Amino acid sequence: MEIELEINGVEQTVEASKSDSLLDVLRRNGYTGAKRGCDTGACGFCTVHVDGEPVKSCVEPVTKVRDASIETIEGLGEQDDLHPVQQAFVDNTALQCGFCIPGMIMRATALLETNPDPTEQEVREALSDNLCRCTGYKKIVEAVLDAAERMDGGTVAADGGKAVEGNERVANSTECAVNDCDCMEGGQ
């Protein structure tokens, strides 16, 4: 059967069977960012947004999302123009194998859209449905909190730092401790 979906802002007609999950259809149509982990909805690797809400696509019947707006990790940003959450994950080295990261980023962007200034505990709760087998979640949580700061005010500088009023901006760096200089690491 054919199903109408809006994927990353583009209206598409996709082929699907009644038994297909949203993940099956996405991956078959080239959207491979959402990962197949457990096929039971337990790991969160396959998280995408359906009408703005995070959904585990491996257990979501594609027939249930007919005519819905779907956003995948591919729709957030591009390699040379990352979404602030993606950039925060990179800058905070919040990944190891990277398999869980698309789901984590999609869950984090959904959190920050509804709660732009979450506490560490709120971030941990929001990500609790997403598993990571490589990390202790510390860097991931730090990345989400960093992204919240970057997104505060809605403008992000090209280098990932938070843009501020006028031409001033705050770099997302720490002071350099080498030879007592006062440059910013990474921004010399």
Side-chain angles (χ1 to χ4, degrees):
M1 75 175 133
E2 292 185 343
I3 294 180
E4 297 291 325
L5 297 174
E6 179 186 312
I7 305 173
N8 299 329
V10 177
E11 296 280 339
Q12 298 184 42
T13 302
V14 297
E15 287 291 324
S17 68
K18 287 183 180 180
S19 62
D20 279 343
S21 69
L22 176 56
L23 180 62
D24 294 331
V25 171
L26 289 172
R27 292 189 62 83
R28 234 185 354 254
N29 285 279
Y31 300 96
T32 58
K35 304 300 182 207
R36 184 176 306 281
C38 64
D39 273 337
T40 63
C43 70
F45 296 173
C46 64
T47 302
V48 297
H49 295 170
V50 175
D51 292 331
E53 296 296 319
V55 169
K56 295 175 184 175
S57 62
C58 73
V59 293
E60 188 74 11
V62 72
T63 55
K64 187 176 173 188
V65 297
R66 182 186 309 261
D67 300 318
S69 175
I70 292 135
E71 184 175 30
T72 68
I73 189 83
E74 292 93 346
L76 282 185
E78 297 179 13
Q79 187 67 32
D80 57 350
D81 185 25
L82 296 175
H83 183 279
V85 175
Q86 292 171 309
Q87 190 64 55
F89 270 70
V90 170
D91 293 347
N92 285 276
T93 58
L95 52 96
Q96 287 188 17
C97 81
F99 204 73
C100 69
I101 297 305
M104 291 281 189
I105 289 173
M106 296 307 288
R107 180 73 61 173
T109 57
L111 166 68
L112 296 177
E113 287 173 12
T114 60
N115 181 357
D117 189 25
T119 64
E120 179 179 336
Q121 185 59 35
E122 289 170 327
V123 170
R124 288 184 180 280
E125 287 172 13
L127 298 179
S128 66
D129 285 346
N130 290 63
L131 301 178
C132 177
R133 297 183 187 271
C134 299
T135 73
Y137 298 93
K138 182 179 185 321
K139 294 280 191 182
I140 292 169
V141 171
E142 289 172 354
V144 177
L145 292 170
D146 182 25
E149 286 182 29
R150 293 172 189 224
M151 293 171 70
D152 184 30
T155 307
V156 178
D159 67 354
K162 183 172 81 172
V164 193
E165 292 181 33
N167 290 330
E168 298 177 35
R169 69 178 170 77
V170 177
N172 185 30
S173 305
T174 57
E175 289 186 23
C176 180
V178 178
N179 298 326
D180 295 322
C181 75
D182 47 69
C183 69
M184 301 300 278
E185 286 184 4
Q188 300 177 19

